[in-house]
Amino acid sequence: MHGGAALVADRRPTVVVSGVASDAHTWNLVFLQLLIEELGYQVVNLGPTVPDELLVEECRELAPALIVLSSVNGHGFQDGLRVAGRLRDCRDLAATPLVIGGKLGIGGEQDEDRIGELLAAGFDAVFQDGATGLADFQRFIDTATGASRLAGRPGLPV
């Protein structure tokens, strides 16, 4: 920085993007990061194969406006059920908007019962590969991270 200019803190709401513990795919996470940044958010991408404990710890520290989980390997349903419980059991994250998307089962077909189970486990939305579009995801982000949801959250602009 020239002339002693002070660094300005990034005041955009933070979104955490993460793979689930069993999934080593990365391009889906890069795509999500770029998309969410284009929408005006700061993104912390935790990467693939993130252990549940690390995801909870990082989210507690970051206090994100939204947590986005992605799976490509077809095991997102099992991983999602488990990690949603751990995130929702954390008092600091109990009300944080939480979504999962991608290939959630190995069959590839949409399964309304499984989507219902993920929603009951604590996800605010489920974006199953082939069943929902990018526009649906973008609308959800705009709704879930709107100014009214951020009001009163320390460190976030309203």
Side-chain angles (χ1 to χ4, degrees):
M1 309 230 59
H2 298 302
L7 291 175
V8 177
D10 191 339
R11 302 284 291 159
R12 297 175 296 161
T14 299
V15 173
V16 169
V17 170
S18 179
V20 292
S22 72
D23 199 322
H25 293 88
T26 58
W27 283 112
N28 54 318
L29 303 173
V30 171
F31 173 80
L32 285 168
Q33 177 178 344
L34 294 173
L35 171 69
I36 296 167
E37 286 174 343
E38 255 185 43
L39 295 172
Y41 299 89
Q42 174 180 299
V43 175
V44 175
N45 187 338
L46 298 180
T49 61
V50 177
D52 297 353
E53 298 79 21
L54 179 61
L55 177 64
V56 172
E57 181 182 312
E58 290 294 318
C59 288
R60 283 187 72 199
E61 185 176 312
L62 294 166
L66 173 66
I67 302 168
V68 178
L69 302 180
S70 180
S71 177
V72 176
N73 70 355
H75 299 290
F77 174 74
Q78 293 90 353
D79 284 342
L81 285 178
R82 185 188 64 251
V83 77
R86 293 188 177 164
L87 288 163
R88 292 304 185 212
D89 285 346
C90 178
R91 184 173 34 101
D92 296 337
L93 302 170
T96 302
L98 173 64
V99 302
I100 190 167
K103 188 175 179 190
L104 303 176
I106 56 171
E109 69 283 342
Q110 177 155 344
D111 184 337
E112 294 299 326
D113 291 336
R114 284 186 165 196
I115 291 172
E117 287 182 62
L118 289 166
L119 293 170
F123 285 97
D124 294 288
V126 177
F127 299 95
Q128 190 164 344
D129 189 35
T132 51
L134 194 53
D136 296 325
F137 180 65
Q138 289 173 300
R139 276 191 297 277
F140 177 83
I141 289 176
D142 289 342
T143 302
T145 60
S148 63
R149 290 203 67 138
L150 297 177
R153 295 192 74 182
L156 295 176
V158 273

